[in-house]
Amino acid sequence: MPIRNEERHLRAAVERVIDQHYPGDLEVVLAVAPSEDRTADIAAELAAADPRIVVVDNPAGHTPVGLNLAIARAAHDIIVRVDGHGELSRDYIATAVRLLEETGAGNVGGLMDARGTGPLSEAIAAAYNSRFGLGGGGFHLADTPAGPADTVFLGVFRRSALADVGGFDETLQRAQDWELNYRLRTAGHLVYFSPALRVAYRPRDSFGALARQFYRTGQWRREVARRHPETLSLRYLAPPVAVSAMGAGIVGGIVGLVLRNRLLTGLFIVPLTYLLFQGVATATMTGLSPAARLRLPAVLATMHIAWGLGFLVGVRSEDRG
């Protein structure tokens, strides 16, 4: 479990691992990055209270570095990837181990079940769990059937499969899970999705944190595409294309108004089409409180625009490692 600034959710995340209905030996390895809250103190308290909990230091602070440090310290042949703001379903590990045995997969994983705790995080969770938000990524949708997958949320790995591909790429600050699963598949290991594996995920709870998260994700997804161009798809190109088109439509429309050019003014149709898309999404998503529905258009715009801008800008060469 790589953790940083997880004061609010860490205890619950660890408790969900410790309380698993799993008959075998179990340990929790916490890779603690430099934090701005009490994450390190809470991790130390948890380890002092339970010998199955181990703390390792992750001074670099990056997620893939912490994951590799934790894997190196782990004592067992099955590695369960957990987040500090995720809570495993009760039989998650037992089900995953059974699926590893039944399928022969190198990695099995399941559903990212985003759950909000207030109006804003509820809207963000709804966007995560919808095709309108993240474009239909399989592990975000409850109706995705079990079977081979390009990638899964988190994952339960055979240690031998991780060793075969060299573990997580420490030069990738984001998108390292997707890239690892790509290398596993390329090396001949099955990546298997099952909706029976469910993780309650606590999303960001501010527009600023959401924008930063998606901007950096867009940056690093472009870096993965630069390294593995064969992995590009329309789904990943949609946000940067939409951002570019909306920017051109707004600028062109304004110029058209100034010059009284009807053709250029007509470019306003592009951002207006996106507004229509938001309206349809907001109206058709179910199970939202009125306060969350009110925030949903801004949430969708933040996710799409931040991701698209990040992809267009990309990662600075000095940050590539």
Side-chain angles (χ1 to χ4, degrees):
M1 184 184 294
I3 52 175
R4 181 176 190 171
N5 295 329
E6 293 291 357
E7 178 180 16
R8 290 178 59 192
H9 304 298
L10 180 57
R11 289 186 188 277
V14 172
E15 286 172 3
R16 280 301 185 99
V17 178
I18 294 298
D19 292 342
Q20 287 287 299
H21 292 166
Y22 180 68
D25 293 334
L26 189 70
E27 67 174 357
V28 182
V29 185
L30 305 178
V32 183
S35 299
E36 298 165 0
D37 60 11
R38 294 191 64 252
T39 294
D41 294 335
I42 294 171
E45 292 167 6
L46 291 168
D50 191 327
R52 293 172 296 176
I53 300 174
V54 179
V55 175
V56 297
D57 189 31
N58 175 19
H62 300 316
T63 297
V65 176
L67 286 166
N68 284 340
L69 288 169
I71 291 166
R73 175 60 179 79
H76 300 290
D77 292 329
I78 294 176
I79 304 295
V80 183
R81 159 92 157 91
V82 187
D83 271 348
H85 46 274
E87 299 173 17
L88 304 183
S89 53
R90 184 71 64 179
D91 296 312
Y92 182 92
I93 294 177
T95 302
V97 172
R98 175 178 58 81
L99 287 171
L100 282 176
E101 294 173 349
E102 291 177 354
T103 66
N107 180 24
V108 300
L111 188 67
M112 178 199 221
D113 182 15
R115 301 180 186 178
T117 55
L120 178 56
S121 62
E122 182 188 345
I124 294 171
Y128 265 110
N129 296 335
S130 167
R131 288 181 172 84
F132 291 113
L134 294 178
F139 63 76
H140 294 286
L141 304 177
D143 59 357
T144 300
D150 288 343
T151 191
V152 292
F153 183 53
L154 301 180
V156 178
F157 302 84
R158 297 180 188 274
R159 190 188 195 109
S160 57
L162 289 172
D164 186 34
V165 298
F168 288 86
D169 187 337
E170 296 184 2
T171 67
L172 290 172
Q173 295 180 24
R174 293 291 176 94
Q176 63 274 344
D177 297 273
W178 195 100
E179 194 272 346
L180 173 67
N181 284 310
Y182 171 75
R183 283 188 287 117
L184 284 171
R185 291 186 289 107
T186 301
H189 298 283
L190 174 65
V191 177
Y192 190 87
F193 170 84
S194 172
L197 300 174
R198 184 179 293 261
V199 181
Y201 174 82
R202 305 298 180 184
R204 272 62 173 178
D205 200 17
S206 75
F207 281 109
L210 182 68
R212 288 189 295 273
Q213 177 193 8
F214 273 77
Y215 181 82
R216 286 177 55 76
T217 300
Q219 284 184 298
W220 287 97
R221 189 60 187 83
R222 175 172 172 175
E223 178 62 17
V224 171
R226 186 187 70 84
R227 301 182 189 189
H228 307 292
E230 66 278 12
T231 67
L232 267 180
S233 68
L234 290 176
R235 176 172 171 250
Y236 292 113
L237 289 174
V241 169
V243 168
S244 300
M246 284 192 291
I250 292 170
V251 172
I254 292 173
V255 171
L257 287 175
V258 172
L259 300 179
R260 297 184 180 180
N261 183 306
R262 294 179 62 184
L263 182 61
L264 289 175
T265 304
L267 292 175
F268 276 130
I269 191 65
V270 178
L272 289 174
T273 300
Y274 180 72
L275 290 176
L276 176 62
F277 161 82
Q278 282 197 323
V280 171
T282 302
T284 56
M285 283 195 196
T286 59
L288 282 172
S289 68
R293 195 175 300 279
L294 185 65
R295 291 161 173 79
L296 186 57
V299 165
L300 290 171
T302 300
M303 293 169 68
H304 297 152
I305 294 172
W307 205 102
L309 285 174
F311 192 96
L312 290 170
V313 172
V315 177
R316 297 180 303 174
S317 58
E318 56 265 32
D319 292 333
R320 289 173 180 161

